[in-house]
Amino acid sequence: MISKNNLKSLKKIPKEPSVLLLGIPGPGLIGTLSVSYLVHALDMEIVGEIENLDTTPVVFIDGGEIFGPIRIYRSGSLYAVLSDMPIDYEMVVSFVESLIEFAQKNGIDMIIMPNGIQATEKDPNNIKTFGLSTDESLESIMYENEIPKFLTGMIAGPDATILSRMKNSSIPCLVLFTQCNFFFPDPESALNSIKTVSSIIKRDVDLTEFKKQMNYLRLQGRQLMEDTLNVLQQEKEAQKPPQIYK
Amino acid sequence: MTTNFIPSFKKQAGDVIESHTKDDFILKELVPLSCLFERNSKWMIEIDLPGVDKKDIKVTVTKGHVVVKAKLEESYKVSSHGHVATFESLKKAVEIPPHADIRKISAKFRNGILVITIPKIEFGKRIPVR
C-alpha cells in the first residue's frame, strides 16, 4: 500500500525582487561608471535596447550586430539600463516612458538609479550617499542599508523629469545621490555608489578591477563628461555651471 | 595603463569619446578637462590630472594663457579602428580670465586635481561712507 503524502502549512517561498538599475550620464558620471561596472562584474548579458529613431546620434557595432546607445542588460532577476549618451530634454519624456513600459512588462519591482550630487568639499574618506525614493515602500531599504534620506535640495534637468514621471508610475524608484565632483568623472565616488547598490541588491561585487582603473576611467570619460555638462548647462541656466574650456 | 574592465566600458562609450580623442591625436597629447570658477575676488581654474605625480606638473604663464603640462605615471593607450596610440602626457593652455593679477597666481594639487588661483586686480576709486 502506498501512503499518501500530505502537504501541510507550506510557507510561500519568497520571490527575489526584480530590480532594474538605471545608469545615465550625470554629475561625475556616477550613474554610467557604477552601472557600467556592475554590468561587467555581474556578467550581465545584453537583452535589448531602448531605441529612439529620431534622436539616436550614434550606434555601436559589436560582433557584426548594431546596438543603440541605450541598452538593456540582464542577469536573473537583475536588469540594467545603461546609456552612453546624456539624456537631454528632447528625449527624456519618451525615454522614461519606454523605461516604465519595459519595467511594467517585465515585472520589475524597483528601479535603482545611482547618481551624483555636487560636494563642494568632498572628504575622500567619508563620501556620503543619500537616498530619495518615489514610494514609501522603499524607505525600509534605505533604513536597512543605512542610507540617509535626501531631505532638502533641488533637482533640475532630465533627472527631475525622470523622478516626476516615476513618482506618477506604478514602479517604485530609489535614486542614490553620491557626493562627487560635479564637473569631472569621479570613479572614487562611483566606487561608493557601487558598494551601496551591491548592498541593496545583496550581490557581492569584486571592486579590485575598478580600483585599478580609476585613473584610466577619468581619462576615458572626458568627452562623455563634457557632453553631459553641455546638456546640463543648456537646461540649468539658472544654476550657471562654470564655463568649460575646449 | 592597461585594463581588463575597460573594453566593456569602451565598447559602450568608445565612439562617444571619439571627438575628444581627435583633439588628443591632433595635439599628440591628452587634453584634460578643466573648469573656470569665479569666486568673489579671485578666479579659480580646476584641471583634472589623473595618474599624475605632483613633481611632474609644470605650470607656466605665457602671454594671456596659463599652460599646464603633466607627465603621466603610466602611459595611456587608445585604440581606434585597429590603431593603437600611446600618450605619455597631458597638456592644456587656458586663457587667463579678465582683470587677473598674474603676479599672484598660485597652484595646488590634491586628489589628482590641479587648482590654479588667480586673484583679480582691484579697480576703482574708494568712496568714503559718511
Side-chain angles (χ1 to χ4, degrees):
Chain A
M1 190 179 168
I2 301 167
S3 65
K4 201 179 171 184
N5 292 325
N6 287 323
L7 289 175
K8 276 188 176 177
S9 64
L10 184 69
K11 282 184 186 168
K12 200 177 172 185
I13 299 165
K15 176 187 159 260
E16 197 179 312
S18 280
V19 177
L20 187 146
L21 307 175
L22 175 59
I24 58 173
L29 297 184
I30 302 302
T32 314
L33 290 171
S34 50
V35 175
S36 175
Y37 188 72
L38 285 161
V39 163
H40 164 80
L42 299 173
D43 213 13
M44 298 176 78
E45 277 182 28
I46 188 161
V47 292
E49 59 184 86
I50 294 179
E51 199 174 46
N52 187 323
L53 297 173
D54 297 327
T55 54
T56 301
V58 62
V59 289
F60 300 84
I61 292 103
D62 187 22
E65 270 195 84
I66 299 168
F67 296 104
I70 308 171
R71 292 170 308 283
I72 306 166
Y73 297 84
R74 184 184 180 183
S75 168
S77 60
L78 183 67
Y79 291 80
V81 170
L82 184 61
S83 173
D84 292 331
M85 61 177 200
I87 309 291
D88 58 20
Y89 264 130
E90 212 176 305
M91 63 182 295
V92 68
V93 173
S94 64
F95 168 74
V96 76
E97 277 173 1
S98 304
L99 186 76
I100 291 167
E101 189 190 331
F102 174 84
Q104 284 168 339
K105 278 185 183 168
N106 289 278
I108 301 292
D109 298 304
M110 156 177 59
I111 292 176
I112 300 174
M113 183 181 170
N115 207 337
I117 189 164
Q118 186 173 12
T120 40
E121 288 290 325
K122 192 184 81 177
D123 175 3
N125 300 315
N126 187 23
I127 298 169
K128 289 194 177 88
T129 295
F130 301 93
L132 182 64
S133 67
T134 61
D135 194 284
E136 274 181 25
S137 64
L138 299 186
E139 301 221 346
S140 59
I141 291 177
M142 284 159 59
Y143 181 78
E144 281 162 22
N145 292 279
E146 297 177 352
I147 302 165
K149 201 171 175 177
F150 185 102
L151 288 173
T152 39
M154 188 187 79
I155 294 149
D159 288 354
T161 311
I162 292 171
L163 269 170
S164 57
R165 293 269 167 164
M166 289 287 185
K167 198 181 167 202
N168 292 307
S169 82
S170 57
I171 315 286
C173 177
L174 175 62
V175 187
L176 300 169
F177 292 101
T178 301
Q179 292 179 320
C180 69
N181 185 315
F182 195 96
F183 306 102
F184 300 145
D186 193 342
E188 194 177 53
S189 291
L191 185 79
N192 255 57
S193 184
I194 296 168
K195 284 180 190 169
T196 309
V197 174
S198 59
S199 145
I200 295 171
I201 62 173
K202 299 181 173 59
R203 303 257 188 134
D204 285 331
V205 176
D206 184 0
L207 295 164
T208 320
E209 215 178 327
F210 190 83
K211 284 177 185 169
K212 277 187 203 164
Q213 306 308 329
M214 284 206 197
N215 287 334
Y216 194 99
L217 291 169
R218 279 167 68 181
L219 290 170
Q220 198 192 37
R222 287 170 297 154
Q223 186 63 49
L224 186 56
M225 186 77 252
E226 196 167 316
D227 292 345
T228 304
L229 288 174
N230 286 336
V231 166
L232 295 174
Q233 201 158 15
Q234 283 165 15
E235 294 159 359
K236 287 166 68 183
E237 206 50 51
Q239 280 203 353
K240 289 193 178 172
Q243 175 188 351
I244 304 299
Y245 279 102
K246 282 278 179 185
Chain B
M1 287 176 213
T2 53
T3 170
N4 296 320
F5 149 55
I6 300 304
S8 66
F9 181 69
K10 194 185 267 178
K11 195 162 62 191
Q12 293 150 16
D15 286 3
V16 180
I17 64 167
E18 196 175 15
S19 66
H20 212 104
T21 53
K22 264 183 202 155
D23 285 347
D24 298 339
F25 282 106
I26 293 164
L27 300 165
K28 294 190 170 54
E29 276 166 317
L30 296 176
V31 183
L33 287 174
S34 62
C35 288
L36 172 71
F37 301 88
E38 190 175 5
R39 294 266 186 278
N40 299 322
S41 61
K42 60 193 175 190
W43 294 100
M44 290 172 86
I45 301 166
E46 287 191 3
I47 303 177
D48 197 26
L49 299 176
V52 165
D53 193 287
K54 191 168 92 174
K55 67 175 174 25
D56 296 322
I57 304 171
K58 204 169 130 187
V59 184
T60 46
V61 180
T62 63
K63 203 177 177 185
H65 288 85
V66 177
V67 182
V68 175
K69 190 166 179 177
K71 189 177 168 290
L72 287 163
E73 287 181 303
E74 258 184 81
S75 57
Y76 175 80
K77 292 188 176 75
V78 177
S79 60
S80 178
H81 308 292
H83 298 283
V84 178
T86 305
F87 297 90
E88 307 289 342
S89 59
L90 297 137
K91 188 179 177 182
K92 186 130 192 179
V94 178
E95 197 179 327
I96 294 173
H99 315 307
D101 189 349
I102 55 166
R103 293 166 305 168
K104 292 179 184 167
I105 291 181
S106 62
K108 196 187 275 183
F109 186 63
R110 195 181 295 164
N111 299 326
I113 295 173
L114 181 73
V115 182
I116 299 170
T117 306
I118 316 172
K120 289 181 190 172
I121 296 170
E122 284 183 23
F123 285 103
K125 184 185 164 191
R126 187 167 176 175
I127 300 166
V129 179
R130 289 179 193 156

